[in-house]
Structures are given as C-alpha cells and as structure tokens.
Amino acid sequence: MNRWKALVILGMAQFLMVLDASVMNVSISQLVIDFDTEVTAIQAVITLYTLVMAAFMITGGKLGDMFGRRRVFAGGLVVYGVGSALTAVAPTLGVLALGWSVIEGFGAALVLPALAALVASTYQGRDRAVSYGVIGGLAGAGIAVGPLLGGWVTTYLTWRLVFAGEAVLVVVILLLIRWIAPQPAPATRPRLDLGGVLLSVAGLALVVLAVLQSSSWGWLHPRNPPFTVFGFSPTVFVIALGLVLLHLLRLWEEHRADPLVRFSLFRIPSLRSGLLMLFSQNVILLGLFFAIPLYLQVVLGLNAFETGLRLLPVSVTMLVAALSGPALNRFVSPRTVVRTGLLVLFAATLWLLGTIEPELDDLSFALAMALLGLGMGLLASQLGNVVQSSVGESERSEVGGLQYTAQNLGSSLGTALIGAIVISALAAAFTAAMAKDPAVSETVRQQAGTRIESGLNFVPADQAAAALAKTSIPPEEADAVVSAYRTAQLDGLKVAVLAAAGITLAGFPFTRRLPATGSGHGRVPARTRGTPPGGPGDSTEQHEELP
C-alpha cells in the first residue's frame, strides 16, 4: 500500500486541475448574470485559462528539470491555491480572469508537467500503466464531479464555494506531499531559455486569440475588428504572425545549448502521434463541452445543476473506460484501442447531432453522452502512457511539458474554434431564415443585417424577444424574427457538433505510428517506436514493456 501513497497525492492534484474547468462550463449563464457580461466574454475567460496553461507548460517542464520535480510541483500548487482564493472573492470579470485564467493557469503549468514526470519516475512497468490509468480515470472523475458539483453549488449556493474548496484542497495536498519521494535537482542546472519562452508564449497566444475573436472580427470580411489589414479582417493575419513566431522558435532552439524544447524529440513517431492525438482529443472534448451547455442552458433554459445531471453520463463512462486501459492492453495494442475510441467518438457525435432539437429527448441524449464518454475514456486510457513511454528518464519533464501543452492547446483551440463555429453558423442561418420569411419586412432585414455585421451573440430567445418588444417593430414581425433566431441557434449548434465529428475522422491518420503491440503481445523495442540511433529515446529503458 505504501507504494501507492505518491499516486494518491498525484491523483488528487490531477483531479483538482480538471475540476474547475468543468465547473466553469456549466456556470456560463450564472457568470454572465453575476458579472453583467456576455457569453463571448466568459468564452474568452475560459479560453484564456487553457491558453495560459498551454503557453507556459513547456516552461513549467523545464523548471522541473532545473529545480527538481517535486519542488516545482509544490510551488505550482501554492500558485494555484492563491489563484483559487482570488477567484473565490473576485468582484469583477477582470479579477476573475486574473485569478482563474492567469494565476491558476500558470500554477497548473507548473504542476502538470511535474506530475506526469513524477508518475513516470515513481512507477515502472505495469505499475506505471496502472498509475496512468488511475490518473486518466481521475481526470474523468473531475469531469464527472465538476458539472454535477458545480451545477448544484451554482444553482443553490454560489460557484465561488468551489474555488474556496480548491484552495483548501491545495493545503491538504501540500501537507501530505512528503508521500512523494524527493526529486533532487540535477548536479548541473540547465539555464532557462528566456528567448524561447517569449517566442513560444507570443506565438501560441496570437494563434488562439485570433481563432477566439474570429466570430466577432470575421475571417476575411471584417465585422467589428479593432483594425483591418488592407481592408480585410485581421484574423488570418494574426494567425499567420503566430505561426511565424513558432517557426522562429524552432530556428532559435536549434542554436541553443540548453533549449526550451528539443525539436529532435518530434522525430520519435510514437511520441509525435501521441501528442497529436492528445491535441485532437481535447479539441473535441472541450469544444463539445462548450457547445453542449449552450444548448442545455441557453436554448432549453436548464439551470447549472440540471445541466450537470445531463452531462453526468459522459463523465461516468469516461472514468470507467479510462481505468480499463491496463486490462485492455493485455489483449490489444494501444493503436487498436485508440482507433476504437475514435470510431466510438464519431458514432457518439452523429448520435448527438440527432438529439439537438427544440425539445430534449432525455434518454437519447443520455445514451449519446454515455457513448461520447466511452470514446474519450478509451483515448485517455492509452495516450499518457504512450507519450511518457516513448522517451527515457532524462526527457520525462520536457515531454510532460509537451504532453500538457498539446492537451491545453487543444482545449483552448477547441473552445475558441467550436465557439467561433457556433456564432458564425448562427449568423449564417439567421440571415438565411430572415431572407426566406415573408413575414419579415425589408427594413427589419436590413436592421438585422447591420446587427449581424457588428457581431451576433448567443443569448436566450426570450431575451431577444424582450429586446425586440422595446423597439417599434410590430409584434407579429418580432415573433417571426425570434422564431428565426431559435431555429438558427439549433442550426449553429448542429454545425459545431458536425465539425467535432469531422475532427474525429481527421484524427485517424495520426494513429498510424502509435504502438502496434500491447503488453500481452511482447515488448516494444525502441527502433519500432522510430527512435533515431543515438536519439533522445535511445536508452535501455526504451525496451521495457509498454503496457
């Protein structure tokens, strides 16, 4: 039992990192009311949180190498606890963004790479596979408890209590941190590549910012951007600038003695495939977990607790499937499990597509959610272990940073991209519906067109009706506009779910380099994983079983 004490602490930390993101997703409507803002503003706060984590995760991994993994793990928890406490008492949206998105996000960027490396260095062989299954399962449990707990607390008390509780849990973890064996800093401490940090943070931030703002800026034709570029929306240009900075990062790192990230690691096929699949998984999961609460809360008018109850099936099946990884690998390879998970995910998104209607079919929706969780859990049961088993001990912190960078970049882009698709599809469907309805006059169509050009918000139809009632538009015409808006909301959400299905299919080619042999079929040699001779993964440890 003593050997699992460290896993208890690491598992609690993993649970903590996942919990508040899922709380935020079911509390969108209440946050809009509490801070007197719009859905897009809360979307920005949610995206900023995952963006900060993604931007600083590689740096967090490097700091673990410099100062020792347990020390950085503990320091990150302190930062995270401070952010949680500030979020709990946030008086304004700006303070909420500072406490949750920035401070908590940076704390998580220190905790998670160290956590991944600590699991890999503390456990070996089958114990490591079990540990990653538990960590993946607890991530699923965080997603399970988050909507339900967050929904109940938000509806009947206040969402602030969740963050106050997180600060208390941080204190508990710090009191028990001695259960993790000390991880001494290396004798020769590497230097932090500040130039690499600046380039990586700026490049990632610009890409995600542009995707997030695309719904209000427009992709090419400007809607309501702060500036234009040659008469076009700045969206594509800002994305291009971010990609240029990331390319400069690669050129910069090639000439550094102590690079922030060694791009030679990406020559390991199994690592590359694992990272791409982690990215895709989180684009889909967080994108859907942004769109589905919009359907349940904004379209159907459910409160946060009712939303949490309806999200529970996806979370329960994800937890069960994530814990099944070590058992599955006795019979099938990680590649087979991941491909099966993608097929299940694709089927789930198509099923979900059929449930987005004006009236909710609870049974069909619950079964679609359960299937979605099963697919996600199958991916979660494999990918963490695949990524960490692709390299040797000396690369674990660095790869932990890459692992959670991929996950959180996927999360931020998922929220931003699916959110942008929802708004763009809403605007297109609303415009089309208004043009076809003979009950809507040309004057009202022009007014609606002007409003769409300046940016359309995803708000309850009743709120739109109340706003129209204060105008000079005749009641029968206002009813036609509201009806068109209701239909456009459903169309926008369906397009977003269809996009998630497309992303799922696009993930299949990236599974080709995942390990094709499970522990029940023998060992996976380093050369099979594509490690170049003398490369970063070319060590005797690479020849251990991949559970």
Side-chain angles (χ1 to χ4, degrees), residues 269-279 383 386-387 510 514:
S270 60
L271 173 62
R272 188 170 62 246
S273 293
L275 293 175
L276 286 169
M277 289 311 305
L278 282 169
F279 173 81
L383 296 177
V386 165
V387 166
F510 301 121
L514 292 175

Side-chain angles (χ1 to χ4, degrees), residues 298-299 426 458-461 484-494:
V298 178
V299 176
L426 168 66
F458 202 101
V459 298
Y485 185 72
R486 288 182 192 275
T487 302
Q489 283 184 319
L490 296 176
D491 290 343
L493 290 166
K494 287 180 179 180

Side-chain angles (χ1 to χ4, degrees), residues 20 108 130 137 152 166 205 316 365 378 413 495 500 525:
D20 59 358
V130 171
W152 187 85
E166 286 188 350
V316 172
F365 185 82
L378 289 173
L413 282 176
V495 170

Side-chain angles (χ1 to χ4, degrees), residues 81-91 95-96 98-100 103-104 160 163:
V82 170
S84 297
L86 181 60
T87 302
V89 298
V95 176
L96 176 75
L98 175 63
W100 188 62
I103 298 179
E104 280 195 52
R160 297 177 186 274
F163 294 94

Side-chain angles (χ1 to χ4, degrees), residues 61 77 119 126 157 235 270 277 290 335 442 459 487 498:
L77 283 170
V119 171
R126 185 158 300 281
L157 298 169
T235 301
S270 60
M277 289 311 305
F290 180 79
R335 182 195 297 174
E442 185 60 32
V459 298
T487 302
L498 195 59

